[in-house]
Structure formats: C-alpha cells, structure tokens
Amino acid sequence: MGRKLLLEHINVPGINTLEVYRQKGGYRAVEKALKTLTPEEIVEEVKKSGLRGRGGAGFPTGMKWSFLAKPEGVARYLVCNADESEPGTFKDRYLMTYIPHALIEGMIVASFALGAKVSYIYVRGEMMPQIRILERAIAEAKAAGFLGKNILGTGYDLELYVQPGGGAYICGEETALLESLEGKRGNPRIKPPFPAIAGLYGCPTVVNNVESIAAVVPIINDGGDEYAKIGIGRSTGTKLISASGNLVKPGVYEIELGLPVEEFIYSDEYCGGIANGKRLKATVAGGSSVPVLPANLTLKYANGEPRLMSYESLSEGGFATGTMMGSGGFIAFDEDQCMVRNTWNFARFYHHESCGQCSPCREGTGWMEKVLHKIEHGHGKMEDVDLLWDIQRKIEGNTICPLGDAAAWPVASAIRHFRDEFEWHIKEPIKSQQQNYGIANYAVPIEKAPVTEEK
Amino acid sequence: MLKVEEQTPVVFSSELLAKFDDVITRYPADKSKSALLPLLHLVQAEFLWVSTSAMDKIAEYLKIQPIEVFEVATFYSMYFLKPQGKYAMEVCRTGPCCLVGAEKILIHLENKLGVKEGEVTADGLFSFRGVECLAACGFGPVLQISPEYTFYENLTEASVDKLIEDLKNK
C-alpha cells in the first residue's frame, strides 16, 4: 500500500466536519505554522519538500511563493484555483467534497506564509454543491477561531471567501482566473508582469491549485524533508490521480510518485485493469491537453524500461515517445475506441473553450474541429491529415496562454501515433462508419453528430 | 448574432438584494465589480435565466455600464440567456464521458422528452443540452440540473427515465 497524505482519512465518517477532521489531527498545521514558524520558515519548508504545482504546470510551489513581491502598504493575495475543467481531471472536486477542511487548512497556512489578509477560492461555477460544502466548512473554521480576526490569539487576521466561476475552461489559466475574479471576461493577460508582481487588483498574488495547497498541510506537519523522501527524483511526495475511461475501477487515487504505470493500471489496489476484459489501446496520462500515447509507450519507454508515474518519467523521450504528468488526469482507451473520434471530441472541446482573444487559437481550433469532423464522418481526403498537422503547428506556441498548445498537442500526438487510423477513415469511410466506435457500442449517425456552433 | 427579445422589467426582491449586499462585502470597497459573476448566479437561481432587463438592473446596482454585464453574461457558458425548462439538464459530452456512453444519453433524452437540444418541453418542465467537461470523468456519464446543480453519475437510459419520472412527480 502506498502512503496516503491527503486521502488517508477519506473513508472516516464525518471527515468533512471540523470536529472529525480535528479528531484526525486536522488544524495542527495551522497551530504549528502560526505559533512556531515565521512566514519565511514556512516558505523554506515548502521549498525543501520539492512540491511541484499539482494543477498541471508542475512548477515548484516554494519557488513560486518566494517570487511574491512584498512592497509595504500594498495588499497581497492568495487565490486557490479550483476551476477544475480539464477533461479527465476530477481530483479537486473529490477533495473539496470529502475533505474540505484540508483545503481550508492549507489556505490558512499558505496565506500566513504569503502575508495575505484576504484569500479567495475560485471554484468553477458548475460545482455549486462543492461551493456550499466549502462555505459551510469556512463558517465552521471561523467559529472555531481558525479564520477571522486574531487567529488563535496570534494577531494574524484572515478572511477566506469562495468565488464561483461562470463556466469557462480558460479560467483555469491563472491570469484569466484573476480577470474573472475581477468580474470580467476570462481573457488571459499578457505576461509579464506575472501575478507575483501584479495579480488580483494589480497587487502581488499567488495562484495555486487545490491539491498543491492541501499538500502544504502534511509538509508543515511532518517537515519538508520528510515529504521529499517520498517519490522519486524531482517528483516528490504523493499525487492524486483521476482515473477515467475504460477501467475496471475508475476513480481518484493517491499514489506515491514513481509508481510504475503498469501497476497503476492493472493492480487491484488501483484501477484493476481494463474493463470488460479488453486490451489497452492508448492513454492520456495528464488530462486531455497532454499528448496521447499508445499502450506500448504508456507502459514502457522506447528502450523497454518500465515507465513510471512521475513528472520526469512520463515526459521521457519528449513528445515523440512521451507525454506529461499534467494534472494527473489519466484516461484509458480500450482496443475498441476510435482515436479519430476522440481527437475530434477533444478538438470540439478546445474550440468551445477558446476565449477568442488570439487568432491562431480562435480560428485554428474551429478549423481543426471541422476537418476532424469531416474525417470521422467519412468525408475526409488524404491531404486532410497533413492539413491538420499544419494547422496544429500554426497554433502551438503562437498564443498568449497555453490553451493553444493544449488544443494542438492532442491532434499532433494522435496523428503521430495513430496516422493509420486517420487514413483508414479516409480510405474506407463506409467501414469506418459501420465500426463500433466504442461509445457504448453506439455509432452516432452523421446527421446527429453535433458540431460546435459558429462564434 | 445573439437575438435577445424585449423583456418585462424584472424586480429584485429585498431578500435578493440582501444577498447582493452580502456578496459585495467580500471585495475591497472600490472593487465591487468582482461581485458580477456571483450576482448573475443569484439572479439565475431566482428567475432560472438572465434577461437583459435583469442585466441592466445588476449594472445599476454595481454602478457599472450595462455592456460590462452583457459581455460577461454572454462569455460564460453557465448563464442562460433565454428561458429554460424548470429542470435544465446538462449532460457532459466531453471525451471521458463519451467513452462510457454520454452521447447515447443525449440522444435518449431527445427521444424521451420529444424536444431537441436547447428546446423546452411543452409543459415547461424540461430542457437539456450537452456541455463540456463537468470534472466528474470517473463517474460518467453525468448530468447536472440547475439552479441547485444537483449531480447524477453513472447514468444509464433506465436511470435517466427514472430521474425524469421522479422530477415530473415532484
């Protein structure tokens, strides 16, 4: 059994309440941090832990905190990014639903370390039940003296609020999130300046993912050095993995980084193998935006060595033979799944979610969706595959925010690894139409297949 | 081009305005525009959609221009700009949910309710639409119903039928 730091008490009845959470050692980190540590010492512990941002980028959290500008007389903010919208990723919903106090405790410790007097948890609007859970938990924490004025008699004041989003994937990008929190459209800002210098309301701001903030609690309780002993290489600690697709046991799992991918997929402790006795065809390891990998490269490197669940191992070989840890959104495709159809589905997602600010993304994502729709539904031409390759290359790296890359990589990797399947759809349109697409063994008739509306 | 019909002016109740005031206290005094998204949610929860008349009233309340509200309400996908059914069902249609049957659920809803995506049933009870990732991929197919955003997981055609019957008899 792997060590659990975040989900250790997930099955304890009532762990979503302050009372039970405290019985299991909750809020010790707040007591320790506010009463015995300085903000600088907390930042140092997080640096020592090696914690990397769990939202997808994997940037070292302690280093991010240390970049925060601290001019006198200017407010500083901590904003939690709970705008979980990456297809394949649902760990933050799980954590907020079942252990809301873990996030709140982390927010208090991190806010103290950063000198924030007001902090916000920006939750995607669709998660209204989670918003209500968090608001109830915040009220409990405040009543117990962990929030508000003069927390635990230490003289530190903190107000914590939950902000609902309006339904836009782009608000998961930190500057778009800040725009949204300011009551505007979620258009990403040009960087620099980075939020650490000019973030919310133009003030120094740190934006961290839910899981990153929750991980601060065990880091403070046990020390950064202890946390760094878990994991492998520069992938320290534990990671929540959201597993979905054709698995026997989809769900949220906490793993020690460095676990072999094969063990994660096939062992009973985790996903229990591929559903319905089928074979694994491909995976997306870190949410829909990371490159898709065929089964053989998911389980092993090109040289035959086992691939591990770690930031370095998953990216081994670059995008030619590797992928990324991303947000830990692990999607498994069985042998019946149609990779063209899946690529079209993801392209539709990114077209729908493009904020429209940059032309390559606004125009390119829609163009890719249309070409993929055409191929998938038996109307493609052979040159369309090269056209798709050309379009994605013109999007990648040419936009203000990473949504352009996120839209390009699934298409690029699908062509790279499954070009035969694209060509088969073009050469044999009737057969490809008659195939079971694996969508619950249901092939959608052409006239019913929805295409994203024009913007 | 978005077509918005003329609406009867809405009236915000004192209870709703009290909720507005509570939200506005969360931000610095000169940053009350931050309340815009939460206020739109509150209005939608009360009226089940956001009319241009309601947008204008929100603008007045926050002391911002009506266009600032309109551009936000039309940017985000959660705000309904025309009336929906009492139970507005939203089915996730993104990759992982489709791997386990989401498209089948959407077509089943169309057949069961006798209306197309975006339309409202004659009795005014139901409308449905496909939406992008609802972040519950391991429990798909999933749907949610506004304004409470109650969530239903691991859907089958049979469980959708039961859900619809339960809501009809509510």
mmCIF file of all heavy atoms in Angstrom, chain A residues 323-360:
data_model
loop_
_atom_site.group_PDB
_atom_site.id
_atom_site.type_symbol
_atom_site.label_atom_id
_atom_site.label_comp_id
_atom_site.label_asym_id
_atom_site.label_seq_id
_atom_site.Cartn_x
_atom_site.Cartn_y
_atom_site.Cartn_z
ATOM 1 N N THR A 323 4.909 11.851 -22.856
ATOM 2 C CA THR A 323 3.771 12.721 -22.632
ATOM 3 C C THR A 323 4.073 13.602 -21.425
ATOM 4 O O THR A 323 5.223 13.983 -21.215
ATOM 5 C CB THR A 323 2.485 11.876 -22.472
ATOM 6 O OG1 THR A 323 1.393 12.753 -22.320
ATOM 7 C CG2 THR A 323 2.542 10.905 -21.305
ATOM 8 N N MET A 324 3.096 13.925 -20.605
ATOM 9 C CA MET A 324 3.313 14.766 -19.430
ATOM 10 C C MET A 324 2.453 14.286 -18.268
ATOM 11 O O MET A 324 1.400 13.687 -18.483
ATOM 12 C CB MET A 324 2.904 16.221 -19.737
ATOM 13 C CG MET A 324 3.789 16.930 -20.726
ATOM 14 S SD MET A 324 3.011 18.459 -21.274
ATOM 15 C CE MET A 324 3.190 19.483 -19.823
ATOM 16 N N MET A 325 2.893 14.597 -17.061
ATOM 17 C CA MET A 325 2.093 14.302 -15.867
ATOM 18 C C MET A 325 0.868 15.205 -15.817
ATOM 19 O O MET A 325 -0.220 14.794 -15.382
ATOM 20 C CB MET A 325 2.961 14.504 -14.618
ATOM 21 C CG MET A 325 2.211 14.525 -13.304
ATOM 22 S SD MET A 325 1.411 12.961 -12.920
ATOM 23 C CE MET A 325 2.781 12.047 -12.256
ATOM 24 N N GLY A 326 1.037 16.465 -16.245
ATOM 25 C CA GLY A 326 -0.077 17.416 -16.264
ATOM 26 C C GLY A 326 -0.788 17.483 -14.932
ATOM 27 O O GLY A 326 -0.164 17.567 -13.876
ATOM 28 N N SER A 327 -2.104 17.387 -14.985
ATOM 29 C CA SER A 327 -2.913 17.479 -13.772
ATOM 30 C C SER A 327 -3.153 16.111 -13.134
ATOM 31 O O SER A 327 -3.824 16.010 -12.120
ATOM 32 C CB SER A 327 -4.259 18.100 -14.131
ATOM 33 O OG SER A 327 -4.895 17.290 -15.116
ATOM 34 N N GLY A 328 -2.625 15.066 -13.762
ATOM 35 C CA GLY A 328 -2.871 13.718 -13.238
ATOM 36 C C GLY A 328 -4.201 13.146 -13.694
ATOM 37 O O GLY A 328 -4.729 12.222 -13.086
ATOM 38 N N GLY A 329 -4.730 13.669 -14.782
ATOM 39 C CA GLY A 329 -5.996 13.144 -15.325
ATOM 40 C C GLY A 329 -5.691 11.989 -16.261
ATOM 41 O O GLY A 329 -5.282 12.193 -17.397
ATOM 42 N N PHE A 330 -5.871 10.770 -15.779
ATOM 43 C CA PHE A 330 -5.442 9.577 -16.517
ATOM 44 C C PHE A 330 -6.640 8.936 -17.211
ATOM 45 O O PHE A 330 -7.559 8.429 -16.562
ATOM 46 C CB PHE A 330 -4.809 8.588 -15.528
ATOM 47 C CG PHE A 330 -4.048 7.482 -16.177
ATOM 48 C CD1 PHE A 330 -2.680 7.586 -16.378
ATOM 49 C CD2 PHE A 330 -4.692 6.330 -16.598
ATOM 50 C CE1 PHE A 330 -1.965 6.564 -16.986
ATOM 51 C CE2 PHE A 330 -3.994 5.302 -17.215
ATOM 52 C CZ PHE A 330 -2.627 5.423 -17.402
ATOM 53 N N ILE A 331 -6.646 8.970 -18.547
ATOM 54 C CA ILE A 331 -7.772 8.412 -19.313
ATOM 55 C C ILE A 331 -7.280 7.187 -20.070
ATOM 56 O O ILE A 331 -6.270 7.260 -20.780
ATOM 57 C CB ILE A 331 -8.319 9.436 -20.327
ATOM 58 C CG1 ILE A 331 -8.580 10.795 -19.656
ATOM 59 C CG2 ILE A 331 -9.597 8.918 -20.977
ATOM 60 C CD1 ILE A 331 -8.856 11.928 -20.641
ATOM 61 N N ALA A 332 -7.994 6.068 -19.911
ATOM 62 C CA ALA A 332 -7.598 4.831 -20.604
ATOM 63 C C ALA A 332 -8.589 4.529 -21.734
ATOM 64 O O ALA A 332 -9.801 4.643 -21.540
ATOM 65 C CB ALA A 332 -7.571 3.676 -19.611
ATOM 66 N N PHE A 333 -8.062 4.173 -22.880
ATOM 67 C CA PHE A 333 -8.887 3.807 -24.035
ATOM 68 C C PHE A 333 -8.705 2.323 -24.301
ATOM 69 O O PHE A 333 -7.570 1.848 -24.432
ATOM 70 C CB PHE A 333 -8.429 4.570 -25.288
ATOM 71 C CG PHE A 333 -8.485 6.065 -25.142
ATOM 72 C CD1 PHE A 333 -7.442 6.759 -24.544
ATOM 73 C CD2 PHE A 333 -9.575 6.786 -25.608
ATOM 74 C CE1 PHE A 333 -7.489 8.140 -24.406
ATOM 75 C CE2 PHE A 333 -9.628 8.165 -25.475
ATOM 76 C CZ PHE A 333 -8.585 8.847 -24.871
ATOM 77 N N ASP A 334 -9.798 1.586 -24.429
ATOM 78 C CA ASP A 334 -9.644 0.174 -24.752
ATOM 79 C C ASP A 334 -9.527 -0.014 -26.265
ATOM 80 O O ASP A 334 -9.631 0.945 -27.037
ATOM 81 C CB ASP A 334 -10.770 -0.682 -24.135
ATOM 82 C CG ASP A 334 -12.114 -0.492 -24.808
ATOM 83 O OD1 ASP A 334 -12.145 -0.128 -26.002
ATOM 84 O OD2 ASP A 334 -13.144 -0.715 -24.138
ATOM 85 N N GLU A 335 -9.319 -1.257 -26.671
ATOM 86 C CA GLU A 335 -8.997 -1.551 -28.066
ATOM 87 C C GLU A 335 -10.093 -1.182 -29.058
ATOM 88 O O GLU A 335 -9.852 -1.061 -30.244
ATOM 89 C CB GLU A 335 -8.672 -3.044 -28.208
ATOM 90 C CG GLU A 335 -9.806 -3.953 -27.724
ATOM 91 C CD GLU A 335 -9.350 -5.390 -27.577
ATOM 92 O OE1 GLU A 335 -8.820 -5.929 -28.553
ATOM 93 O OE2 GLU A 335 -9.521 -5.961 -26.488
ATOM 94 N N ASP A 336 -11.333 -1.011 -28.572
ATOM 95 C CA ASP A 336 -12.442 -0.688 -29.473
ATOM 96 C C ASP A 336 -12.596 0.801 -29.733
ATOM 97 O O ASP A 336 -13.411 1.201 -30.568
ATOM 98 C CB ASP A 336 -13.770 -1.199 -28.888
ATOM 99 C CG ASP A 336 -13.847 -2.704 -28.912
ATOM 100 O OD1 ASP A 336 -13.031 -3.313 -29.634
ATOM 101 O OD2 ASP A 336 -14.704 -3.268 -28.208
ATOM 102 N N GLN A 337 -11.876 1.607 -28.999
ATOM 103 C CA GLN A 337 -12.095 3.058 -29.114
ATOM 104 C C GLN A 337 -11.515 3.619 -30.415
ATOM 105 O O GLN A 337 -10.471 3.170 -30.893
ATOM 106 C CB GLN A 337 -11.482 3.794 -27.916
ATOM 107 C CG GLN A 337 -12.068 3.378 -26.582
ATOM 108 C CD GLN A 337 -13.562 3.640 -26.474
ATOM 109 O OE1 GLN A 337 -14.144 4.393 -27.254
ATOM 110 N NE2 GLN A 337 -14.200 2.989 -25.509
ATOM 111 N N CYS A 338 -12.219 4.616 -30.924
ATOM 112 C CA CYS A 338 -11.804 5.259 -32.173
ATOM 113 C C CYS A 338 -11.000 6.513 -31.833
ATOM 114 O O CYS A 338 -11.527 7.460 -31.239
ATOM 115 C CB CYS A 338 -13.045 5.627 -32.981
ATOM 116 S SG CYS A 338 -12.666 6.637 -34.412
ATOM 117 N N MET A 339 -9.736 6.517 -32.183
ATOM 118 C CA MET A 339 -8.876 7.648 -31.825
ATOM 119 C C MET A 339 -9.207 8.892 -32.648
ATOM 120 O O MET A 339 -8.975 10.015 -32.196
ATOM 121 C CB MET A 339 -7.398 7.269 -32.001
ATOM 122 C CG MET A 339 -6.957 6.071 -31.172
ATOM 123 S SD MET A 339 -7.527 6.088 -29.444
ATOM 124 C CE MET A 339 -6.545 7.415 -28.787
ATOM 125 N N VAL A 340 -9.743 8.693 -33.848
ATOM 126 C CA VAL A 340 -10.141 9.860 -34.651
ATOM 127 C C VAL A 340 -11.319 10.555 -33.969
ATOM 128 O O VAL A 340 -11.349 11.772 -33.813
ATOM 129 C CB VAL A 340 -10.520 9.434 -36.082
ATOM 130 C CG1 VAL A 340 -10.972 10.632 -36.895
ATOM 131 C CG2 VAL A 340 -9.341 8.736 -36.752
ATOM 132 N N ARG A 341 -12.268 9.733 -33.557
ATOM 133 C CA ARG A 341 -13.443 10.306 -32.912
ATOM 134 C C ARG A 341 -13.055 11.013 -31.607
ATOM 135 O O ARG A 341 -13.559 12.098 -31.291
ATOM 136 C CB ARG A 341 -14.466 9.209 -32.611
ATOM 137 C CG ARG A 341 -15.765 9.794 -32.119
ATOM 138 C CD ARG A 341 -16.856 8.739 -31.982
ATOM 139 N NE ARG A 341 -18.118 9.396 -31.689
ATOM 140 C CZ ARG A 341 -18.923 9.895 -32.604
ATOM 141 N NH1 ARG A 341 -18.605 9.802 -33.871
ATOM 142 N NH2 ARG A 341 -20.038 10.487 -32.275
ATOM 143 N N ASN A 342 -12.187 10.394 -30.843
ATOM 144 C CA ASN A 342 -11.757 11.022 -29.597
ATOM 145 C C ASN A 342 -11.025 12.343 -29.861
ATOM 146 O O ASN A 342 -11.231 13.327 -29.160
ATOM 147 C CB ASN A 342 -10.849 10.067 -28.810
ATOM 148 C CG ASN A 342 -10.426 10.682 -27.509
ATOM 149 O OD1 ASN A 342 -11.234 10.847 -26.601
ATOM 150 N ND2 ASN A 342 -9.171 11.093 -27.426
ATOM 151 N N THR A 343 -10.185 12.343 -30.887
ATOM 152 C CA THR A 343 -9.447 13.566 -31.210
ATOM 153 C C THR A 343 -10.425 14.662 -31.630
ATOM 154 O O THR A 343 -10.269 15.829 -31.251
ATOM 155 C CB THR A 343 -8.431 13.292 -32.335
ATOM 156 O OG1 THR A 343 -7.657 12.146 -31.982
ATOM 157 C CG2 THR A 343 -7.498 14.468 -32.544
ATOM 158 N N TRP A 344 -11.441 14.288 -32.402
ATOM 159 C CA TRP A 344 -12.471 15.262 -32.788
ATOM 160 C C TRP A 344 -13.183 15.805 -31.543
ATOM 161 O O TRP A 344 -13.416 17.007 -31.413
ATOM 162 C CB TRP A 344 -13.483 14.611 -33.734
ATOM 163 C CG TRP A 344 -14.763 15.366 -33.860
ATOM 164 C CD1 TRP A 344 -14.906 16.684 -34.192
ATOM 165 C CD2 TRP A 344 -16.079 14.879 -33.593
ATOM 166 N NE1 TRP A 344 -16.232 17.031 -34.168
ATOM 167 C CE2 TRP A 344 -16.976 15.948 -33.805
ATOM 168 C CE3 TRP A 344 -16.578 13.641 -33.206
ATOM 169 C CZ2 TRP A 344 -18.354 15.821 -33.635
ATOM 170 C CZ3 TRP A 344 -17.954 13.513 -33.047
ATOM 171 C CH2 TRP A 344 -18.819 14.593 -33.258
ATOM 172 N N ASN A 345 -13.503 14.888 -30.616
ATOM 173 C CA ASN A 345 -14.203 15.304 -29.396
ATOM 174 C C ASN A 345 -13.371 16.326 -28.627
ATOM 175 O O ASN A 345 -13.887 17.361 -28.179
ATOM 176 C CB ASN A 345 -14.467 14.060 -28.529
ATOM 177 C CG ASN A 345 -15.330 14.366 -27.327
ATOM 178 O OD1 ASN A 345 -14.944 15.166 -26.490
ATOM 179 N ND2 ASN A 345 -16.491 13.741 -27.244
ATOM 180 N N PHE A 346 -12.071 16.048 -28.476
ATOM 181 C CA PHE A 346 -11.212 16.987 -27.748
ATOM 182 C C PHE A 346 -11.069 18.302 -28.520
ATOM 183 O O PHE A 346 -11.025 19.382 -27.937
ATOM 184 C CB PHE A 346 -9.838 16.372 -27.483
ATOM 185 C CG PHE A 346 -9.838 15.350 -26.356
ATOM 186 C CD1 PHE A 346 -8.775 14.473 -26.189
ATOM 187 C CD2 PHE A 346 -10.895 15.284 -25.458
ATOM 188 C CE1 PHE A 346 -8.769 13.545 -25.153
ATOM 189 C CE2 PHE A 346 -10.896 14.351 -24.417
ATOM 190 C CZ PHE A 346 -9.834 13.479 -24.269
ATOM 191 N N ALA A 347 -10.979 18.210 -29.850
ATOM 192 C CA ALA A 347 -10.863 19.436 -30.654
ATOM 193 C C ALA A 347 -12.113 20.295 -30.484
ATOM 194 O O ALA A 347 -12.028 21.529 -30.403
ATOM 195 C CB ALA A 347 -10.659 19.076 -32.125
ATOM 196 N N ARG A 348 -13.264 19.650 -30.419
ATOM 197 C CA ARG A 348 -14.510 20.387 -30.187
ATOM 198 C C ARG A 348 -14.462 21.099 -28.835
ATOM 199 O O ARG A 348 -14.851 22.258 -28.709
ATOM 200 C CB ARG A 348 -15.702 19.424 -30.223
ATOM 201 C CG ARG A 348 -17.035 20.120 -29.984
ATOM 202 C CD ARG A 348 -18.190 19.138 -30.046
ATOM 203 N NE ARG A 348 -18.140 18.183 -28.948
ATOM 204 C CZ ARG A 348 -18.954 17.141 -28.831
ATOM 205 N NH1 ARG A 348 -19.854 16.908 -29.763
ATOM 206 N NH2 ARG A 348 -18.871 16.320 -27.815
ATOM 207 N N PHE A 349 -13.924 20.382 -27.845
ATOM 208 C CA PHE A 349 -13.807 20.987 -26.507
ATOM 209 C C PHE A 349 -12.966 22.267 -26.566
ATOM 210 O O PHE A 349 -13.365 23.316 -26.064
ATOM 211 C CB PHE A 349 -13.169 19.972 -25.534
ATOM 212 C CG PHE A 349 -12.848 20.551 -24.186
ATOM 213 C CD1 PHE A 349 -13.827 20.643 -23.211
ATOM 214 C CD2 PHE A 349 -11.575 21.020 -23.896
ATOM 215 C CE1 PHE A 349 -13.538 21.203 -21.972
ATOM 216 C CE2 PHE A 349 -11.275 21.579 -22.664
ATOM 217 C CZ PHE A 349 -12.265 21.664 -21.699
ATOM 218 N N TYR A 350 -11.794 22.171 -27.192
ATOM 219 C CA TYR A 350 -10.901 23.347 -27.194
ATOM 220 C C TYR A 350 -11.448 24.474 -28.056
ATOM 221 O O TYR A 350 -11.230 25.646 -27.756
ATOM 222 C CB TYR A 350 -9.475 22.934 -27.598
ATOM 223 C CG TYR A 350 -8.830 22.141 -26.496
ATOM 224 C CD1 TYR A 350 -8.680 20.759 -26.587
ATOM 225 C CD2 TYR A 350 -8.438 22.759 -25.322
ATOM 226 C CE1 TYR A 350 -8.152 20.022 -25.541
ATOM 227 C CE2 TYR A 350 -7.912 22.029 -24.268
ATOM 228 C CZ TYR A 350 -7.772 20.665 -24.387
ATOM 229 O OH TYR A 350 -7.270 19.954 -23.334
ATOM 230 N N HIS A 351 -12.171 24.124 -29.105
ATOM 231 C CA HIS A 351 -12.826 25.177 -29.893
ATOM 232 C C HIS A 351 -13.875 25.882 -29.039
ATOM 233 O O HIS A 351 -13.932 27.116 -28.985
ATOM 234 C CB HIS A 351 -13.476 24.555 -31.132
ATOM 235 C CG HIS A 351 -14.203 25.550 -31.987
ATOM 236 N ND1 HIS A 351 -15.291 25.211 -32.739
ATOM 237 C CD2 HIS A 351 -14.018 26.873 -32.178
ATOM 238 C CE1 HIS A 351 -15.733 26.276 -33.377
ATOM 239 N NE2 HIS A 351 -14.983 27.294 -33.053
ATOM 240 N N HIS A 352 -14.665 25.104 -28.351
ATOM 241 C CA HIS A 352 -15.717 25.664 -27.499
ATOM 242 C C HIS A 352 -15.122 26.555 -26.419
ATOM 243 O O HIS A 352 -15.693 27.587 -26.053
ATOM 244 C CB HIS A 352 -16.516 24.517 -26.876
ATOM 245 C CG HIS A 352 -17.708 24.963 -26.083
ATOM 246 N ND1 HIS A 352 -17.644 25.246 -24.734
ATOM 247 C CD2 HIS A 352 -18.990 25.196 -26.442
ATOM 248 C CE1 HIS A 352 -18.837 25.623 -24.308
ATOM 249 N NE2 HIS A 352 -19.670 25.599 -25.325
ATOM 250 N N GLU A 353 -13.974 26.159 -25.887
ATOM 251 C CA GLU A 353 -13.416 26.849 -24.718
ATOM 252 C C GLU A 353 -12.397 27.929 -25.060
ATOM 253 O O GLU A 353 -11.945 28.639 -24.160
ATOM 254 C CB GLU A 353 -12.782 25.827 -23.765
ATOM 255 C CG GLU A 353 -13.762 24.778 -23.231
ATOM 256 C CD GLU A 353 -14.915 25.382 -22.440
ATOM 257 O OE1 GLU A 353 -14.755 26.500 -21.919
ATOM 258 O OE2 GLU A 353 -15.983 24.751 -22.370
ATOM 259 N N SER A 354 -12.036 28.058 -26.321
ATOM 260 C CA SER A 354 -11.108 29.142 -26.669
ATOM 261 C C SER A 354 -11.769 30.480 -26.353
ATOM 262 O O SER A 354 -12.930 30.703 -26.711
ATOM 263 C CB SER A 354 -10.777 29.072 -28.165
ATOM 264 O OG SER A 354 -10.058 30.230 -28.545
ATOM 265 N N CYS A 355 -11.030 31.366 -25.683
ATOM 266 C CA CYS A 355 -11.640 32.647 -25.307
ATOM 267 C C CYS A 355 -11.772 33.568 -26.510
ATOM 268 O O CYS A 355 -12.482 34.568 -26.458
ATOM 269 C CB CYS A 355 -10.840 33.334 -24.201
ATOM 270 S SG CYS A 355 -9.327 34.161 -24.751
ATOM 271 N N GLY A 356 -11.070 33.233 -27.601
ATOM 272 C CA GLY A 356 -11.202 34.016 -28.832
ATOM 273 C C GLY A 356 -10.273 35.202 -28.926
ATOM 274 O O GLY A 356 -10.351 35.987 -29.873
ATOM 275 N N GLN A 357 -9.378 35.336 -27.953
ATOM 276 C CA GLN A 357 -8.504 36.510 -27.939
ATOM 277 C C GLN A 357 -7.412 36.443 -29.012
ATOM 278 O O GLN A 357 -7.091 37.451 -29.623
ATOM 279 C CB GLN A 357 -7.886 36.637 -26.539
ATOM 280 C CG GLN A 357 -7.281 37.970 -26.257
ATOM 281 C CD GLN A 357 -6.754 38.105 -24.826
ATOM 282 O OE1 GLN A 357 -6.393 39.178 -24.418
ATOM 283 N NE2 GLN A 357 -6.680 37.036 -24.062
ATOM 284 N N CYS A 358 -6.829 35.267 -29.229
ATOM 285 C CA CYS A 358 -5.730 35.124 -30.194
ATOM 286 C C CYS A 358 -6.244 34.442 -31.470
ATOM 287 O O CYS A 358 -6.873 33.380 -31.403
ATOM 288 C CB CYS A 358 -4.601 34.269 -29.620
ATOM 289 S SG CYS A 358 -4.030 34.783 -28.010
ATOM 290 N N SER A 359 -5.928 34.999 -32.607
ATOM 291 C CA SER A 359 -6.432 34.450 -33.877
ATOM 292 C C SER A 359 -6.043 32.989 -34.107
ATOM 293 O O SER A 359 -6.888 32.188 -34.527
ATOM 294 C CB SER A 359 -5.951 35.302 -35.052
ATOM 295 O OG SER A 359 -6.350 36.616 -34.856
ATOM 296 N N PRO A 360 -4.788 32.589 -33.882
ATOM 297 C CA PRO A 360 -4.441 31.190 -34.168
ATOM 298 C C PRO A 360 -5.314 30.206 -33.391
ATOM 299 O O PRO A 360 -5.703 29.165 -33.916
ATOM 300 C CB PRO A 360 -2.972 31.085 -33.723
ATOM 301 C CG PRO A 360 -2.462 32.480 -33.766
ATOM 302 C CD PRO A 360 -3.627 33.354 -33.397
#
